[in-house]
Amino acid sequence: MNEPMSFQEFREQVPIRTQGGSCAVTPVVHMFQGKWKLEILYGLCVKSPLRFGELRKMLGGVTNSALTGALRELEADGLILRVQFNEIPPHVEYSLTTKGEDLLPIFYSIAMWGLKYIP
C-alpha cells in the first residue's frame, strides 16, 4: 500500500474538482448516504460482529427492509462482511472488512469534533 500523502501534499496535488465534476469527497459522501448507514458503520466500529437483530435493536425504529437494504449496500461497497451460519436456528453476523476498519480513526476524529463543538 502506498504511503498516504501529507495534508500539504493533498492541498497541492488534489484538484478541487475531479474530471467527473465533483470534489474528492463527493464519492465518499454518496457511499454513506442513507438514514442508517453511518449508524450501522459506527455500531460495527464499537462492537463487531453483530447479528441482524442486535443491529435492529441498536438502531431503534429501523424497519427490517430498510436495515436489509442498507446492509446490502454497505456490503456491496466492501465496508462490511456478511457471514451466514447454516445452523439450527440459522443466523447471520455482520462485521467490518479491512476497508471498513480503516474508518475507525475517521469516526474517532468526527466524534471528538462533535464533542468539542456540538452541545
Side-chain angles (χ1 to χ4, degrees):
M1 181 173 156
N2 295 338
E3 285 294 315
M5 65 176 73
S6 70
F7 181 68
Q8 188 60 36
E9 290 170 326
F10 175 81
R11 292 182 71 187
E12 293 169 358
Q13 296 175 23
V14 176
I16 292 173
R17 300 195 65 69
T18 64
Q19 288 179 345
S22 65
C23 74
V25 298
T26 299
V28 178
V29 171
H30 284 287
M31 185 182 291
F32 295 147
Q33 279 184 331
K35 184 173 181 180
W36 304 105
K37 286 184 180 180
L38 285 173
E39 290 187 55
I40 291 167
L41 288 169
Y42 182 75
L44 289 171
C45 283
V46 173
K47 183 182 178 202
S48 187
L50 286 171
R51 291 185 179 192
F52 185 90
E54 292 173 309
L55 282 164
R56 191 179 64 232
K57 189 181 296 184
M58 176 191 76
L59 295 172
V62 65
T63 64
N64 286 347
S65 60
L67 180 55
T68 298
L71 290 167
R72 284 184 181 155
E73 290 175 18
L74 290 168
E75 183 181 15
D77 288 333
L79 297 173
I80 65 169
L81 179 66
R82 179 185 187 273
V83 178
Q84 183 170 331
F85 294 88
N86 295 322
E87 303 169 345
I88 304 295
H91 67 278
V92 176
E93 289 183 346
Y94 296 90
S95 59
L96 295 173
T97 62
T98 301
K99 183 178 175 181
E101 287 174 348
D102 283 347
L103 293 169
L104 288 165
I106 297 166
F107 277 116
Y108 173 77
S109 294
I110 291 170
M112 292 301 100
W113 185 90
L115 290 170
K116 182 176 180 180
Y117 292 109
I118 299 173

